[in-house]
Amino acid sequence: METNPTEKQLWEEAVAFTRDKSPGSFDQWFCGVQFDGLTDGVLCLRARNEFVRDWVDQFFMPTLTDHIRSRTGWSIQVAWTVGGELDRPAINPPPERTVREDASRITGPNWPASEDAGPASQASAPWSERRVARPAVQAVAPPLEGLNPKYTFSNFVIGPSNQLAHAAAIGAAGGGGPRHNPLFLCGGTGLGKTHLVHAVAHRVRAERPSTRIVYVSAEKFVNEFVQALQEQRMNEFRARFRDRCDLLLVDDIQFLASKTQTQEEFFHAFNTLHQADKQIIVTSDKYPQQLERMEERLISRFTWGLVADIQAPELETRVAIVRKKAQIEGIEIGDDVLLYIAQVIRSNVRELEGTLIRLAAKASLTSRIIDLDFARAEIALSSSARANEASVEDVQRVVCHHFKLKSGDLLSKDRHKSVAFARHVAMYLCRERLKCSLPELGRAFGNRDHTTVMSAVRKVKALRGADPEVRAHLEALERKLGTVD
Ligand SMILES: Nc1ncnc2c1ncn2[C@@H]1O[C@H](COP(=O)(O)OP(=O)(O)OP(=O)(O)O)[C@@H](O)[C@H]1O
């Protein structure tokens, strides 16, 4: 097919732009792709086989078509032809390379080591055969944005508080045991939900590298959806979350609250994947039934598989977690100090970890060893310093983070139960800890009357005595604000 030079130029620019991001892997795949033209926003490409088409489509096309779109303003659709001779491949294959060399070339920061390159016996095959030999390329999982390399199953400490969630995650990763679909992981902040989701992704990438994994936070899902709507790229968006996905991992689903259109879109993606028996894992800070401003049909789907909760870890698990983190970070610390940290920080693993890292940093700066006296003094110091330095804004920020609200929610007119509760808690904490006057607090919380503040403070004080859940929230918040006792 003859191509207009300008269009060809656009293609070449987009190729160069995309190639820059990961030249090794790009070359590996694009020697199996040919440009057949770009007309009226339709990009015609030919792929050597379906495997190459699917891979390129999923991992390179979004960047490539985005680039053309940004240069032209066109909405780009890709039309693939599969098979036939490629007389003008996008990248010319280098004539003399061994498979092992090729594999080491595609090993970048996000790529597994070259032992994934496939059998050495292939090294003697000609490039033209090797480049389409599935094992050589299939053994390398594509990059997956946002995964923490330390969040693996082997770095996860199992205890009574999380063993169900852990076993279910192993099952969802295909590691034996029952597989539940969807798997809904829920629990308070910093208890390891994201860690388990990343661990599933790492395990699947290592064991079944051709699995197409999509990992997003619910917030990112919303943003991508809105952007796709604005730019009229819904087909592409739907393809990403429905057709080109074998494993969907969505963190913090509670973020979809009130976003009805996004919920609708997520509902359809969920159904498509579920019907095709594609694994879905969702995390949330609440049980499905407690999700507010979420469509009923979505809530009911979340309960189709397994709802596995994670509770705050018990003392033994906390000690084991601090020990594991110390090993991972290479921090020398005695058992008595481990126990002390685990005793004073009770509700949140993220905080446990933060305390350990802070102690290690301070010890190294002051050339001290981390003994019990040092740990006691430092933890007390940082607690009171945090308490003294706290301002109304700090309290509001910590409360928003704890209850997963947006920063403006506490000052808004939103009277929804969960927002109002968080607002009352924040007012209570400011009054108790910072000794602010009632009118001062009224002003700081969206110009409310001082009587509103007074009744909020009274209400929370009463609930603290009567309701263990409220007490647990307050204790967690106070620890975050600096009272570790
Ligand atoms: N059982 C565990 N073993 C080892 N590390 C853990 C465990 N549980 C939590 N962690 C660690 O605690 C930190 C917080 O965990 P994570 O981010 O997974 O929490 P989360 O439940 O997703 O919290 P949030 O709801 O705030 O996003 C991470 O560094 C994680 O590695």
Side-chain angles (χ1 to χ4, degrees):
M1 186 189 292
E2 275 300 316
T3 57
N4 178 327
T6 319
E7 288 157 351
K8 180 132 196 294
Q9 217 172 352
L10 279 171
W11 160 255
E12 281 166 357
E13 266 181 31
V15 161
F17 176 79
T18 311
R19 186 176 183 278
D20 260 3
K21 297 189 177 289
S22 51
S25 56
F26 187 94
D27 292 0
Q28 185 89 3
W29 292 101
F30 274 74
C31 62
V33 173
Q34 176 167 299
F35 172 67
D36 277 349
L38 172 60
T39 316
D40 296 333
V42 179
L43 175 61
C44 299
L45 298 177
R46 179 179 298 273
R48 186 179 307 284
N49 55 36
E50 285 179 359
F51 187 56
V52 170
R53 177 200 61 194
D54 289 349
W55 199 281
V56 167
D57 207 37
Q58 177 167 14
F59 298 110
F60 295 100
M61 274 304 129
T63 308
L64 206 143
T65 52
D66 260 359
H67 186 81
I68 301 180
R69 187 177 314 108
S70 70
R71 298 275 284 111
T72 59
W74 301 338
S75 170
I76 303 294
Q77 298 224 329
V78 183
W80 285 101
T81 313
V82 175
E85 230 352 84
L86 305 190
D87 48 3
R88 289 169 287 110
I91 295 289
N92 284 322
E96 294 297 330
R97 271 205 307 262
T98 66
V99 168
R100 229 160 241 295
E101 281 164 352
D102 291 326
S104 62
R105 250 171 12 97
I106 61 177
T107 303
N110 288 316
W111 296 74
S114 57
E115 55 263 30
D116 288 335
S121 60
Q122 289 191 18
S124 58
W127 168 263
S128 57
E129 285 165 31
R130 279 179 281 134
R131 69 190 167 188
V132 293
R134 282 170 71 126
V137 283
Q138 203 180 3
V140 181
L144 186 58
E145 226 179 81
L147 284 193
N148 185 328
K150 290 182 183 166
Y151 289 2
T152 58
F153 281 122
S154 56
N155 285 344
F156 192 82
V157 175
I158 307 159
S161 56
N162 59 32
Q163 62 189 8
L164 174 66
H166 175 265
I170 296 265
R179 184 171 80 86
H180 301 279
N181 199 17
L183 171 59
F184 191 96
L185 296 175
C186 57
T189 187
L191 295 183
K193 303 179 296 292
T194 303
H195 186 135
L196 282 178
V197 164
H198 287 206
V200 170
H202 287 307
R203 172 72 57 90
V204 171
R205 275 163 59 77
E207 291 182 355
R208 297 190 301 285
S210 61
T211 305
R212 295 165 306 174
I213 306 174
V214 176
Y215 167 66
V216 280
S217 63
E219 183 175 8
K220 189 153 188 275
F221 185 87
V222 173
N223 292 340
E224 287 191 23
F225 172 64
V226 171
Q227 201 177 349
L229 269 183
Q230 282 168 349
E231 295 173 5
Q232 298 178 348
R233 286 191 291 111
M234 281 310 294
N235 285 347
E236 204 180 299
F237 177 86
R238 288 182 178 139
R240 167 161 151 76
F241 288 97
R242 300 186 197 182
D243 314 333
R244 297 193 308 242
C245 175
D246 302 316
L247 170 60
L248 177 64
L249 308 169
V250 183
D251 226 344
D252 294 326
I253 198 75
Q254 71 277 0
F255 193 82
L256 293 194
S258 302
K259 306 193 171 65
T260 39
Q261 222 184 326
T262 319
Q263 285 181 28
E264 165 99 21
E265 192 58 37
F266 184 75
F267 173 78
H268 292 299
F270 182 102
N271 283 345
T272 307
L273 294 177
H274 197 266
Q275 273 160 19
D277 196 29
K278 303 289 171 76
Q279 179 71 47
I280 302 164
I281 307 182
V282 167
T283 78
S284 162
D285 65 349
K286 298 185 181 66
Y287 287 95
Q289 297 81 356
Q290 293 173 338
L291 286 168
E292 284 155 357
R293 292 163 285 167
M294 189 76 80
E295 279 192 43
E296 235 358 273
R297 56 183 184 163
L298 210 41
I299 292 180
S300 99
R301 269 154 185 80
F302 290 151
T303 59
W304 275 359
L306 178 73
V307 176
D309 66 347
I310 307 186
Q311 300 291 336
E314 318 64 28
L315 180 65
E316 293 80 356
T317 313
R318 297 202 299 274
V319 172
I321 291 174
V322 192
R323 182 174 286 119
K324 174 72 112 187
K325 297 285 174 195
Q327 272 165 10
I328 294 170
E329 301 297 334
I331 299 169
E332 274 185 41
I333 189 163
D335 282 351
D336 52 345
V337 186
L338 289 182
L339 180 62
Y340 176 70
I341 298 175
Q343 276 169 336
V344 292
I345 309 214
R346 291 187 289 258
S347 65
N348 182 327
V349 180
R350 189 176 289 124
E351 252 188 284
L352 271 180
E353 207 177 330
T355 304
L356 175 72
I357 303 291
R358 215 172 36 248
L359 284 180
K362 190 73 183 283
S364 140
L365 274 176
T366 53
S367 306
R368 292 269 322 250
I369 54 160
I370 312 177
D371 58 19
L372 200 50
D373 287 343
F374 177 77
R376 279 209 178 104
E378 281 307 318
I379 289 177
L381 198 67
S382 66
S383 308
S384 60
R386 276 190 284 160
N388 290 340
E389 283 166 12
S391 62
V392 173
E393 288 73 28
D394 292 328
V395 174
Q396 290 173 336
R397 191 167 30 76
V398 169
V399 170
C400 281
H401 186 256
H402 180 81
F403 289 110
K404 299 270 164 41
L405 298 176
K406 294 201 293 301
S407 54
D409 284 348
L410 296 183
L411 315 192
S412 73
K413 298 271 177 265
D414 191 339
R415 285 161 174 267
H416 200 275
K417 217 167 119 202
S418 61
V419 178
F421 174 65
R423 188 181 295 127
H424 292 171
V425 164
M427 287 173 172
Y428 166 84
L429 289 169
C430 289
R431 178 79 174 152
E432 290 289 302
R433 298 174 62 81
L434 312 181
K435 311 290 176 218
C436 301
S437 71
L438 295 173
E440 195 185 339
L441 282 180
R443 281 193 298 279
F445 281 82
N447 274 331
R448 289 180 154 79
D449 193 78
H450 75 280
T451 53
T452 310
V453 181
M454 189 163 60
S455 108
V457 172
R458 277 197 191 135
K459 208 183 288 178
V460 176
K461 204 180 258 177
L463 282 172
R464 178 169 206 150
D467 184 335
E469 200 182 325
V470 172
R471 195 162 49 246
H473 278 303
L474 290 171
E475 283 175 7
L477 284 163
E478 281 166 346
R479 267 194 298 279
K480 285 180 190 170
L481 288 164
T483 306
V484 193
D485 55 20

